[in-house]
Amino acid sequence: KQEVTQIPAALSVPEGENLVLNCSFTDSAIYNLQWFRQDPGKGLTSLLLIQSSQREQTSGRLNASLDKSSGRSTLYIAASQPGDSATYLCAVLGNTGKLIFGQGTTLQVKP
Amino acid sequence: SQTIHQWPATLVQPVGSPLSLECTVEGTSNPNLYWYRQAAGRGLQLLFYSVGIGQISSEVPQNLSASRPQDRQFILSSKKLLLSDSGFYLCAWSAGGADIQYFGAGTRLSVL
């Protein structure tokens, strides 16, 4: 059974800092991995999708990497801003065809 | 462009009352549709998914049901709500099973 873990559960950093969010999964047989952002009381916004054959994806200040063999992904946020404050969720799509989500990392960027 | 709509945004219902949450997608055809629940302190849990009209797969035994009466309409229902049905319900769509899932704004359901 696929399990997805995100560490840390919460993170507080000063504005301008570069930071890394971690995601690990137990079953390396995945099709892809997605990173989402969720603002309080809101739906999810897809940030990046990495196919199983890819090593990383970039969008603006965000860079996501995938090491399928070790069951790990990281989301790197460069030059963090207060507007980046949100909960970040990673989810893996396995051979069941269903997205399995981690519990999320709640990020606070202080001005 | 494609958009997904969910309503209502918030709902307060007494125990034992019925429920109907609606989700519609615009700008695409034959999408895969999903219902998730996000309970306090827990991750997102897939409740139902549908690959076509009238085709519903249930992921967990529960007090809820889903229907897809039209290609781009997905409805979550209950005949009698339980306290444990409280949570944040999210609808999502994708072009295919391995594609990006796009989420609606969610419905906050409180059962009292």
Side-chain angles (χ1 to χ4, degrees):
Chain A
K1 177 185 174 183
Q2 179 74 271
E3 292 183 1
V4 181
T5 303
Q6 290 186 247
I7 295 173
L11 184 62
S12 181
V13 301
E15 181 177 5
E17 194 163 294
N18 302 325
L19 57 99
V20 175
L21 307 182
N22 296 293
C23 173
S24 61
F25 46 95
T26 55
D27 185 351
S28 61
I30 65 170
Y31 288 124
N32 61 49
L33 182 144
Q34 281 187 248
W35 282 95
F36 293 89
R37 169 185 172 138
Q38 185 176 29
D39 292 290
K42 305 294 184 183
L44 276 65
T45 300
S46 180
L47 298 173
L48 291 163
L49 180 147
I50 310 177
Q51 302 291 354
S52 62
S53 58
Q54 297 175 321
R55 299 282 294 182
E56 65 178 343
Q57 282 285 340
T58 298
S59 176
R61 293 183 293 108
L62 305 179
N63 175 278
S65 68
L66 174 64
D67 184 341
K68 199 173 70 165
S69 61
S70 67
R72 295 178 186 275
S73 175
T74 61
L75 178 67
Y76 175 81
I77 303 177
S80 58
Q81 303 170 358
D84 295 329
S85 299
T87 296
Y88 292 81
L89 297 158
C90 83
V92 297
L93 183 71
N95 55 15
T96 61
K98 302 169 186 61
L99 272 182
I100 306 298
F101 284 84
Q103 295 271 12
T105 294
T106 298
L107 171 66
Q108 181 183 33
V109 181
K110 297 180 179 179
Chain B
S1 63
Q2 301 88 4
T3 55
I4 179 168
H5 302 280
Q6 268 189 260
W7 66 92
T10 59
L11 192 58
V12 180
Q13 292 285 98
V15 170
S17 63
L19 173 74
S20 180
L21 303 181
E22 189 161 345
C23 171
T24 59
V25 181
E26 296 177 357
T28 186
S29 59
N30 197 32
N32 284 7
L33 296 172
Y34 310 85
W35 277 112
Y36 290 88
R37 177 168 59 203
Q38 189 175 36
R42 302 177 65 179
L44 271 83
Q45 181 183 40
L46 179 64
L47 301 176
F48 302 96
Y49 71 95
S50 171
V51 298
I53 295 174
Q55 300 179 59
I56 309 294
S57 295
S58 174
E59 289 302 299
V60 292
Q62 57 205 319
N63 184 43
L64 303 168
S65 62
S67 61
R68 185 170 177 174
Q70 300 180 45
D71 182 44
R72 290 168 288 176
Q73 183 184 30
F74 206 23
I75 298 172
L76 184 69
S77 304
S78 174
K79 293 182 179 178
K80 289 185 178 181
L81 284 168
L82 305 172
L83 287 174
S84 58
D85 292 324
S86 294
F88 192 49
Y89 289 83
L90 289 156
C91 179
W93 76 273
S94 69
D99 294 315
I100 292 175
Q101 290 190 19
Y102 298 94
F103 284 76
T107 295
R108 174 76 58 191
L109 173 65
S110 299
V111 182
L112 306 177

mmCIF file of all heavy atoms in Angstrom, chain B residues 48-93:
data_model
loop_
_atom_site.group_PDB
_atom_site.id
_atom_site.type_symbol
_atom_site.label_atom_id
_atom_site.label_comp_id
_atom_site.label_asym_id
_atom_site.label_seq_id
_atom_site.Cartn_x
_atom_site.Cartn_y
_atom_site.Cartn_z
ATOM 1 N N PHE B 48 -14.772 9.003 -4.470
ATOM 2 C CA PHE B 48 -15.347 8.444 -5.695
ATOM 3 C C PHE B 48 -14.594 8.981 -6.905
ATOM 4 O O PHE B 48 -14.059 10.078 -6.865
ATOM 5 C CB PHE B 48 -16.830 8.850 -5.856
ATOM 6 C CG PHE B 48 -17.715 8.435 -4.727
ATOM 7 C CD1 PHE B 48 -18.006 9.312 -3.696
ATOM 8 C CD2 PHE B 48 -18.280 7.173 -4.710
ATOM 9 C CE1 PHE B 48 -18.825 8.936 -2.655
ATOM 10 C CE2 PHE B 48 -19.117 6.787 -3.672
ATOM 11 C CZ PHE B 48 -19.383 7.672 -2.641
ATOM 12 N N TYR B 49 -14.596 8.189 -7.973
ATOM 13 C CA TYR B 49 -14.133 8.727 -9.236
ATOM 14 C C TYR B 49 -14.984 8.159 -10.361
ATOM 15 O O TYR B 49 -15.629 7.104 -10.197
ATOM 16 C CB TYR B 49 -12.645 8.481 -9.478
ATOM 17 C CG TYR B 49 -12.256 7.057 -9.773
ATOM 18 C CD1 TYR B 49 -12.132 6.599 -11.084
ATOM 19 C CD2 TYR B 49 -11.974 6.179 -8.736
ATOM 20 C CE1 TYR B 49 -11.754 5.302 -11.349
ATOM 21 C CE2 TYR B 49 -11.594 4.882 -8.997
ATOM 22 C CZ TYR B 49 -11.479 4.447 -10.297
ATOM 23 O OH TYR B 49 -11.098 3.161 -10.559
ATOM 24 N N SER B 50 -14.982 8.882 -11.475
ATOM 25 C CA SER B 50 -15.827 8.498 -12.599
ATOM 26 C C SER B 50 -15.083 8.745 -13.907
ATOM 27 O O SER B 50 -14.519 9.812 -14.112
ATOM 28 C CB SER B 50 -17.125 9.311 -12.579
ATOM 29 O OG SER B 50 -17.864 9.116 -13.763
ATOM 30 N N VAL B 51 -15.119 7.760 -14.783
ATOM 31 C CA VAL B 51 -14.464 7.904 -16.087
ATOM 32 C C VAL B 51 -15.479 8.171 -17.196
ATOM 33 O O VAL B 51 -15.103 8.376 -18.354
ATOM 34 C CB VAL B 51 -13.609 6.671 -16.434
ATOM 35 C CG1 VAL B 51 -12.493 6.510 -15.404
ATOM 36 C CG2 VAL B 51 -14.458 5.420 -16.509
ATOM 37 N N GLY B 52 -16.773 8.170 -16.850
ATOM 38 C CA GLY B 52 -17.788 8.453 -17.859
ATOM 39 C C GLY B 52 -19.170 8.523 -17.236
ATOM 40 O O GLY B 52 -19.361 8.193 -16.060
ATOM 41 N N ILE B 53 -20.138 8.941 -18.031
ATOM 42 C CA ILE B 53 -21.518 9.086 -17.545
ATOM 43 C C ILE B 53 -21.998 7.764 -16.954
ATOM 44 O O ILE B 53 -21.872 6.701 -17.592
ATOM 45 C CB ILE B 53 -22.453 9.523 -18.685
ATOM 46 C CG1 ILE B 53 -22.075 10.921 -19.173
ATOM 47 C CG2 ILE B 53 -23.914 9.519 -18.230
ATOM 48 C CD1 ILE B 53 -22.864 11.365 -20.390
ATOM 49 N N GLY B 54 -22.535 7.850 -15.750
ATOM 50 C CA GLY B 54 -23.095 6.676 -15.098
ATOM 51 C C GLY B 54 -22.080 5.699 -14.540
ATOM 52 O O GLY B 54 -22.455 4.674 -13.957
ATOM 53 N N GLN B 55 -20.786 5.992 -14.721
ATOM 54 C CA GLN B 55 -19.740 5.087 -14.229
ATOM 55 C C GLN B 55 -19.123 5.673 -12.963
ATOM 56 O O GLN B 55 -18.451 6.702 -13.019
ATOM 57 C CB GLN B 55 -18.654 4.898 -15.293
ATOM 58 C CG GLN B 55 -19.170 4.310 -16.591
ATOM 59 C CD GLN B 55 -18.053 4.173 -17.613
ATOM 60 O OE1 GLN B 55 -17.066 3.496 -17.376
ATOM 61 N NE2 GLN B 55 -18.211 4.823 -18.753
ATOM 62 N N ILE B 56 -19.358 5.021 -11.844
ATOM 63 C CA ILE B 56 -18.884 5.502 -10.551
ATOM 64 C C ILE B 56 -18.118 4.394 -9.863
ATOM 65 O O ILE B 56 -18.607 3.266 -9.777
ATOM 66 C CB ILE B 56 -20.057 5.922 -9.642
ATOM 67 C CG1 ILE B 56 -20.997 6.880 -10.366
ATOM 68 C CG2 ILE B 56 -19.517 6.518 -8.346
ATOM 69 C CD1 ILE B 56 -20.398 8.214 -10.712
ATOM 70 N N SER B 57 -16.930 4.742 -9.369
ATOM 71 C CA SER B 57 -16.163 3.811 -8.553
ATOM 72 C C SER B 57 -16.040 4.397 -7.150
ATOM 73 O O SER B 57 -15.691 5.560 -6.990
ATOM 74 C CB SER B 57 -14.764 3.596 -9.136
ATOM 75 O OG SER B 57 -14.840 2.964 -10.387
ATOM 76 N N SER B 58 -16.351 3.570 -6.161
ATOM 77 C CA SER B 58 -16.285 4.007 -4.772
ATOM 78 C C SER B 58 -15.011 3.478 -4.148
ATOM 79 O O SER B 58 -14.668 2.302 -4.324
ATOM 80 C CB SER B 58 -17.496 3.483 -4.001
ATOM 81 O OG SER B 58 -17.380 3.792 -2.629
ATOM 82 N N GLU B 59 -14.326 4.353 -3.443
ATOM 83 C CA GLU B 59 -13.043 3.972 -2.864
ATOM 84 C C GLU B 59 -13.128 3.493 -1.432
ATOM 85 O O GLU B 59 -12.308 2.699 -0.992
ATOM 86 C CB GLU B 59 -12.073 5.148 -2.950
ATOM 87 C CG GLU B 59 -11.618 5.425 -4.364
ATOM 88 C CD GLU B 59 -10.943 4.207 -4.965
ATOM 89 O OE1 GLU B 59 -9.919 3.754 -4.430
ATOM 90 O OE2 GLU B 59 -11.454 3.697 -5.983
ATOM 91 N N VAL B 60 -14.061 4.026 -0.683
ATOM 92 C CA VAL B 60 -14.168 3.636 0.717
ATOM 93 C C VAL B 60 -15.632 3.448 1.061
ATOM 94 O O VAL B 60 -16.487 4.166 0.570
ATOM 95 C CB VAL B 60 -13.539 4.692 1.651
ATOM 96 C CG1 VAL B 60 -12.046 4.731 1.464
ATOM 97 C CG2 VAL B 60 -14.133 6.063 1.419
ATOM 98 N N PRO B 61 -15.929 2.446 1.910
ATOM 99 C CA PRO B 61 -17.324 2.276 2.347
ATOM 100 C C PRO B 61 -17.734 3.472 3.205
ATOM 101 O O PRO B 61 -16.967 3.912 4.047
ATOM 102 C CB PRO B 61 -17.277 0.986 3.166
ATOM 103 C CG PRO B 61 -15.861 0.855 3.598
ATOM 104 C CD PRO B 61 -15.027 1.464 2.516
ATOM 105 N N GLN B 62 -18.906 3.996 2.943
ATOM 106 C CA GLN B 62 -19.282 5.199 3.658
ATOM 107 C C GLN B 62 -20.761 5.466 3.480
ATOM 108 O O GLN B 62 -21.473 4.726 2.807
ATOM 109 C CB GLN B 62 -18.485 6.369 3.116
ATOM 110 C CG GLN B 62 -18.678 6.560 1.613
ATOM 111 C CD GLN B 62 -17.499 7.271 1.011
ATOM 112 O OE1 GLN B 62 -16.954 8.209 1.584
ATOM 113 N NE2 GLN B 62 -17.064 6.805 -0.147
ATOM 114 N N ASN B 63 -21.152 6.577 4.059
ATOM 115 C CA ASN B 63 -22.547 7.001 4.073
ATOM 116 C C ASN B 63 -22.890 7.839 2.847
ATOM 117 O O ASN B 63 -23.983 8.377 2.754
ATOM 118 C CB ASN B 63 -22.766 7.823 5.358
ATOM 119 C CG ASN B 63 -24.178 8.239 5.547
ATOM 120 O OD1 ASN B 63 -25.094 7.458 5.331
ATOM 121 N ND2 ASN B 63 -24.381 9.485 5.941
ATOM 122 N N LEU B 64 -21.970 7.974 1.914
ATOM 123 C CA LEU B 64 -22.150 8.869 0.786
ATOM 124 C C LEU B 64 -22.282 8.085 -0.511
ATOM 125 O O LEU B 64 -21.861 6.932 -0.604
ATOM 126 C CB LEU B 64 -20.942 9.814 0.691
ATOM 127 C CG LEU B 64 -20.649 10.656 1.922
ATOM 128 C CD1 LEU B 64 -19.280 11.311 1.796
ATOM 129 C CD2 LEU B 64 -21.728 11.698 2.133
ATOM 130 N N SER B 65 -22.835 8.738 -1.521
ATOM 131 C CA SER B 65 -22.909 8.166 -2.854
ATOM 132 C C SER B 65 -22.610 9.249 -3.867
ATOM 133 O O SER B 65 -22.639 10.444 -3.541
ATOM 134 C CB SER B 65 -24.289 7.558 -3.118
ATOM 135 O OG SER B 65 -25.282 8.568 -3.045
ATOM 136 N N ALA B 66 -22.302 8.848 -5.085
ATOM 137 C CA ALA B 66 -22.001 9.813 -6.144
ATOM 138 C C ALA B 66 -22.750 9.413 -7.398
ATOM 139 O O ALA B 66 -23.050 8.237 -7.618
ATOM 140 C CB ALA B 66 -20.502 9.888 -6.400
ATOM 141 N N SER B 67 -23.030 10.419 -8.217
ATOM 142 C CA SER B 67 -23.683 10.152 -9.497
ATOM 143 C C SER B 67 -23.112 11.091 -10.549
ATOM 144 O O SER B 67 -22.612 12.180 -10.236
ATOM 145 C CB SER B 67 -25.203 10.336 -9.385
ATOM 146 O OG SER B 67 -25.513 11.675 -9.013
ATOM 147 N N ARG B 68 -23.182 10.664 -11.780
ATOM 148 C CA ARG B 68 -22.705 11.470 -12.912
ATOM 149 C C ARG B 68 -23.797 11.423 -13.984
ATOM 150 O O ARG B 68 -23.738 10.626 -14.910
ATOM 151 C CB ARG B 68 -21.391 10.934 -13.452
ATOM 152 C CG ARG B 68 -20.788 11.812 -14.545
ATOM 153 C CD ARG B 68 -19.388 11.363 -14.869
ATOM 154 N NE ARG B 68 -18.807 12.147 -15.967
ATOM 155 C CZ ARG B 68 -17.548 12.020 -16.367
ATOM 156 N NH1 ARG B 68 -16.732 11.162 -15.766
ATOM 157 N NH2 ARG B 68 -17.109 12.757 -17.367
ATOM 158 N N PRO B 69 -24.790 12.293 -13.826
ATOM 159 C CA PRO B 69 -25.908 12.277 -14.770
ATOM 160 C C PRO B 69 -25.578 12.859 -16.144
ATOM 161 O O PRO B 69 -26.225 12.513 -17.138
ATOM 162 C CB PRO B 69 -26.971 13.133 -14.061
ATOM 163 C CG PRO B 69 -26.181 14.031 -13.161
ATOM 164 C CD PRO B 69 -24.991 13.245 -12.731
ATOM 165 N N GLN B 70 -24.578 13.722 -16.198
ATOM 166 C CA GLN B 70 -24.145 14.308 -17.462
ATOM 167 C C GLN B 70 -22.626 14.247 -17.546
ATOM 168 O O GLN B 70 -21.956 14.056 -16.534
ATOM 169 C CB GLN B 70 -24.619 15.766 -17.576
ATOM 170 C CG GLN B 70 -26.120 15.950 -17.511
ATOM 171 C CD GLN B 70 -26.523 17.397 -17.626
ATOM 172 O OE1 GLN B 70 -26.018 18.127 -18.481
ATOM 173 N NE2 GLN B 70 -27.444 17.828 -16.777
ATOM 174 N N ASP B 71 -22.114 14.444 -18.735
ATOM 175 C CA ASP B 71 -20.676 14.279 -18.968
ATOM 176 C C ASP B 71 -19.825 15.123 -18.046
ATOM 177 O O ASP B 71 -18.767 14.680 -17.573
ATOM 178 C CB ASP B 71 -20.358 14.628 -20.431
ATOM 179 C CG ASP B 71 -18.888 14.440 -20.758
ATOM 180 O OD1 ASP B 71 -18.319 13.400 -20.345
ATOM 181 O OD2 ASP B 71 -18.294 15.303 -21.418
ATOM 182 N N ARG B 72 -20.267 16.361 -17.773
ATOM 183 C CA ARG B 72 -19.434 17.270 -17.006
ATOM 184 C C ARG B 72 -20.063 17.644 -15.665
ATOM 185 O O ARG B 72 -19.794 18.707 -15.119
ATOM 186 C CB ARG B 72 -19.154 18.521 -17.844
ATOM 187 C CG ARG B 72 -18.219 18.240 -19.013
ATOM 188 C CD ARG B 72 -18.165 19.384 -19.998
ATOM 189 N NE ARG B 72 -19.398 19.486 -20.759
ATOM 190 C CZ ARG B 72 -19.645 20.462 -21.635
ATOM 191 N NH1 ARG B 72 -18.773 21.420 -21.826
ATOM 192 N NH2 ARG B 72 -20.780 20.503 -22.306
ATOM 193 N N GLN B 73 -20.894 16.766 -15.136
ATOM 194 C CA GLN B 73 -21.563 17.021 -13.869
ATOM 195 C C GLN B 73 -21.349 15.839 -12.938
ATOM 196 O O GLN B 73 -21.582 14.685 -13.310
ATOM 197 C CB GLN B 73 -23.066 17.238 -14.103
ATOM 198 C CG GLN B 73 -23.839 17.592 -12.855
ATOM 199 C CD GLN B 73 -25.341 17.687 -13.127
ATOM 200 O OE1 GLN B 73 -25.870 17.011 -14.000
ATOM 201 N NE2 GLN B 73 -26.024 18.529 -12.367
ATOM 202 N N PHE B 74 -20.933 16.155 -11.714
ATOM 203 C CA PHE B 74 -20.642 15.116 -10.724
ATOM 204 C C PHE B 74 -21.309 15.535 -9.429
ATOM 205 O O PHE B 74 -21.112 16.654 -8.968
ATOM 206 C CB PHE B 74 -19.130 14.985 -10.557
ATOM 207 C CG PHE B 74 -18.650 13.647 -10.085
ATOM 208 C CD1 PHE B 74 -19.405 12.490 -10.253
ATOM 209 C CD2 PHE B 74 -17.405 13.511 -9.485
ATOM 210 C CE1 PHE B 74 -18.942 11.251 -9.840
ATOM 211 C CE2 PHE B 74 -16.922 12.277 -9.069
ATOM 212 C CZ PHE B 74 -17.701 11.154 -9.253
ATOM 213 N N ILE B 75 -22.108 14.653 -8.843
ATOM 214 C CA ILE B 75 -22.901 14.996 -7.674
ATOM 215 C C ILE B 75 -22.561 14.058 -6.528
ATOM 216 O O ILE B 75 -22.479 12.836 -6.718
ATOM 217 C CB ILE B 75 -24.407 14.928 -7.984
ATOM 218 C CG1 ILE B 75 -24.756 15.952 -9.068
ATOM 219 C CG2 ILE B 75 -25.236 15.169 -6.731
ATOM 220 C CD1 ILE B 75 -26.173 15.847 -9.578
ATOM 221 N N LEU B 76 -22.365 14.633 -5.360
ATOM 222 C CA LEU B 76 -22.116 13.859 -4.140
ATOM 223 C C LEU B 76 -23.353 13.959 -3.267
ATOM 224 O O LEU B 76 -23.846 15.063 -3.025
ATOM 225 C CB LEU B 76 -20.896 14.412 -3.408
ATOM 226 C CG LEU B 76 -20.449 13.665 -2.156
ATOM 227 C CD1 LEU B 76 -19.881 12.295 -2.519
ATOM 228 C CD2 LEU B 76 -19.398 14.472 -1.411
ATOM 229 N N SER B 77 -23.852 12.826 -2.799
ATOM 230 C CA SER B 77 -25.117 12.816 -2.070
ATOM 231 C C SER B 77 -25.051 11.959 -0.825
ATOM 232 O O SER B 77 -24.177 11.091 -0.695
ATOM 233 C CB SER B 77 -26.235 12.261 -2.962
ATOM 234 O OG SER B 77 -26.349 12.971 -4.167
ATOM 235 N N SER B 78 -26.011 12.236 0.046
ATOM 236 C CA SER B 78 -26.252 11.371 1.193
ATOM 237 C C SER B 78 -27.728 11.439 1.530
ATOM 238 O O SER B 78 -28.351 12.495 1.412
ATOM 239 C CB SER B 78 -25.422 11.806 2.395
ATOM 240 O OG SER B 78 -25.775 11.041 3.533
ATOM 241 N N LYS B 79 -28.286 10.327 1.960
ATOM 242 C CA LYS B 79 -29.696 10.326 2.362
ATOM 243 C C LYS B 79 -29.846 10.830 3.796
ATOM 244 O O LYS B 79 -30.813 11.507 4.140
ATOM 245 C CB LYS B 79 -30.281 8.933 2.226
ATOM 246 C CG LYS B 79 -30.386 8.459 0.793
ATOM 247 C CD LYS B 79 -31.021 7.082 0.725
ATOM 248 C CE LYS B 79 -31.150 6.634 -0.734
ATOM 249 N NZ LYS B 79 -31.731 5.267 -0.832
ATOM 250 N N LYS B 80 -28.850 10.462 4.646
ATOM 251 C CA LYS B 80 -28.894 10.879 6.046
ATOM 252 C C LYS B 80 -27.479 11.164 6.521
ATOM 253 O O LYS B 80 -26.668 10.239 6.681
ATOM 254 C CB LYS B 80 -29.511 9.791 6.931
ATOM 255 C CG LYS B 80 -30.999 9.583 6.753
ATOM 256 C CD LYS B 80 -31.524 8.565 7.761
ATOM 257 C CE LYS B 80 -33.030 8.390 7.623
ATOM 258 N NZ LYS B 80 -33.573 7.423 8.611
ATOM 259 N N LEU B 81 -27.174 12.418 6.785
ATOM 260 C CA LEU B 81 -25.828 12.800 7.189
ATOM 261 C C LEU B 81 -25.498 12.342 8.609
ATOM 262 O O LEU B 81 -26.360 12.324 9.501
ATOM 263 C CB LEU B 81 -25.660 14.310 7.105
ATOM 264 C CG LEU B 81 -25.480 14.879 5.701
ATOM 265 C CD1 LEU B 81 -25.615 16.388 5.732
ATOM 266 C CD2 LEU B 81 -24.140 14.464 5.116
ATOM 267 N N LEU B 82 -24.231 11.993 8.801
ATOM 268 C CA LEU B 82 -23.686 11.653 10.106
ATOM 269 C C LEU B 82 -22.726 12.755 10.537
ATOM 270 O O LEU B 82 -22.204 13.508 9.704
ATOM 271 C CB LEU B 82 -22.928 10.319 10.037
ATOM 272 C CG LEU B 82 -23.680 9.120 9.490
ATOM 273 C CD1 LEU B 82 -22.718 7.945 9.320
ATOM 274 C CD2 LEU B 82 -24.845 8.754 10.386
ATOM 275 N N LEU B 83 -22.466 12.826 11.834
ATOM 276 C CA LEU B 83 -21.485 13.807 12.323
ATOM 277 C C LEU B 83 -20.138 13.618 11.637
ATOM 278 O O LEU B 83 -19.446 14.591 11.313
ATOM 279 C CB LEU B 83 -21.307 13.667 13.838
ATOM 280 C CG LEU B 83 -22.445 14.170 14.720
ATOM 281 C CD1 LEU B 83 -22.171 13.808 16.184
ATOM 282 C CD2 LEU B 83 -22.629 15.677 14.580
ATOM 283 N N SER B 84 -19.787 12.367 11.397
ATOM 284 C CA SER B 84 -18.482 12.052 10.805
ATOM 285 C C SER B 84 -18.375 12.458 9.338
ATOM 286 O O SER B 84 -17.301 12.373 8.743
ATOM 287 C CB SER B 84 -18.194 10.554 10.940
ATOM 288 O OG SER B 84 -19.230 9.812 10.316
ATOM 289 N N ASP B 85 -19.471 12.906 8.753
ATOM 290 C CA ASP B 85 -19.421 13.372 7.359
ATOM 291 C C ASP B 85 -18.899 14.805 7.257
ATOM 292 O O ASP B 85 -18.654 15.304 6.150
ATOM 293 C CB ASP B 85 -20.807 13.282 6.713
ATOM 294 C CG ASP B 85 -21.276 11.855 6.518
ATOM 295 O OD1 ASP B 85 -20.423 10.993 6.215
ATOM 296 O OD2 ASP B 85 -22.484 11.598 6.680
ATOM 297 N N SER B 86 -18.716 15.465 8.377
ATOM 298 C CA SER B 86 -18.167 16.829 8.347
ATOM 299 C C SER B 86 -16.782 16.819 7.735
ATOM 300 O O SER B 86 -15.991 15.900 7.952
ATOM 301 C CB SER B 86 -18.095 17.389 9.765
ATOM 302 O OG SER B 86 -19.375 17.567 10.316
ATOM 303 N N GLY B 87 -16.501 17.866 6.974
ATOM 304 C CA GLY B 87 -15.180 17.963 6.354
ATOM 305 C C GLY B 87 -15.211 18.920 5.190
ATOM 306 O O GLY B 87 -16.209 19.600 4.929
ATOM 307 N N PHE B 88 -14.095 18.941 4.490
ATOM 308 C CA PHE B 88 -13.931 19.808 3.320
ATOM 309 C C PHE B 88 -13.952 18.903 2.094
ATOM 310 O O PHE B 88 -13.112 18.010 1.950
ATOM 311 C CB PHE B 88 -12.600 20.555 3.446
ATOM 312 C CG PHE B 88 -12.410 21.681 2.475
ATOM 313 C CD1 PHE B 88 -13.390 22.631 2.283
ATOM 314 C CD2 PHE B 88 -11.231 21.790 1.749
ATOM 315 C CE1 PHE B 88 -13.213 23.679 1.392
ATOM 316 C CE2 PHE B 88 -11.035 22.843 0.858
ATOM 317 C CZ PHE B 88 -12.038 23.777 0.679
ATOM 318 N N TYR B 89 -14.929 19.104 1.236
ATOM 319 C CA TYR B 89 -15.113 18.238 0.075
ATOM 320 C C TYR B 89 -14.614 18.934 -1.186
ATOM 321 O O TYR B 89 -14.994 20.073 -1.483
ATOM 322 C CB TYR B 89 -16.594 17.854 -0.070
ATOM 323 C CG TYR B 89 -17.041 16.898 1.005
ATOM 324 C CD1 TYR B 89 -17.430 17.355 2.267
ATOM 325 C CD2 TYR B 89 -17.047 15.524 0.784
ATOM 326 C CE1 TYR B 89 -17.811 16.484 3.257
ATOM 327 C CE2 TYR B 89 -17.432 14.632 1.775
ATOM 328 C CZ TYR B 89 -17.812 15.125 3.001
ATOM 329 O OH TYR B 89 -18.187 14.251 3.990
ATOM 330 N N LEU B 90 -13.789 18.228 -1.902
ATOM 331 C CA LEU B 90 -13.177 18.790 -3.094
ATOM 332 C C LEU B 90 -13.502 17.935 -4.306
ATOM 333 O O LEU B 90 -13.401 16.713 -4.269
ATOM 334 C CB LEU B 90 -11.652 18.855 -2.930
ATOM 335 C CG LEU B 90 -11.155 19.893 -1.932
ATOM 336 C CD1 LEU B 90 -9.779 19.516 -1.411
ATOM 337 C CD2 LEU B 90 -11.108 21.261 -2.585
ATOM 338 N N CYS B 91 -13.881 18.599 -5.369
ATOM 339 C CA CYS B 91 -14.108 17.954 -6.650
ATOM 340 C C CYS B 91 -12.902 18.242 -7.542
ATOM 341 O O CYS B 91 -12.296 19.324 -7.445
ATOM 342 C CB CYS B 91 -15.384 18.503 -7.278
ATOM 343 S SG CYS B 91 -15.797 17.807 -8.896
ATOM 344 N N ALA B 92 -12.548 17.303 -8.382
ATOM 345 C CA ALA B 92 -11.422 17.507 -9.292
ATOM 346 C C ALA B 92 -11.718 16.848 -10.623
ATOM 347 O O ALA B 92 -12.563 15.951 -10.715
ATOM 348 C CB ALA B 92 -10.135 16.938 -8.693
ATOM 349 N N TRP B 93 -11.012 17.305 -11.654
ATOM 350 C CA TRP B 93 -11.136 16.678 -12.964
ATOM 351 C C TRP B 93 -9.752 16.494 -13.573
ATOM 352 O O TRP B 93 -8.797 17.178 -13.230
ATOM 353 C CB TRP B 93 -12.018 17.510 -13.907
ATOM 354 C CG TRP B 93 -11.353 18.732 -14.466
ATOM 355 C CD1 TRP B 93 -11.307 19.965 -13.902
ATOM 356 C CD2 TRP B 93 -10.652 18.821 -15.710
ATOM 357 N NE1 TRP B 93 -10.606 20.838 -14.710
ATOM 358 C CE2 TRP B 93 -10.197 20.156 -15.835
ATOM 359 C CE3 TRP B 93 -10.358 17.919 -16.732
ATOM 360 C CZ2 TRP B 93 -9.468 20.609 -16.930
ATOM 361 C CZ3 TRP B 93 -9.639 18.354 -17.825
ATOM 362 C CH2 TRP B 93 -9.198 19.694 -17.908
#
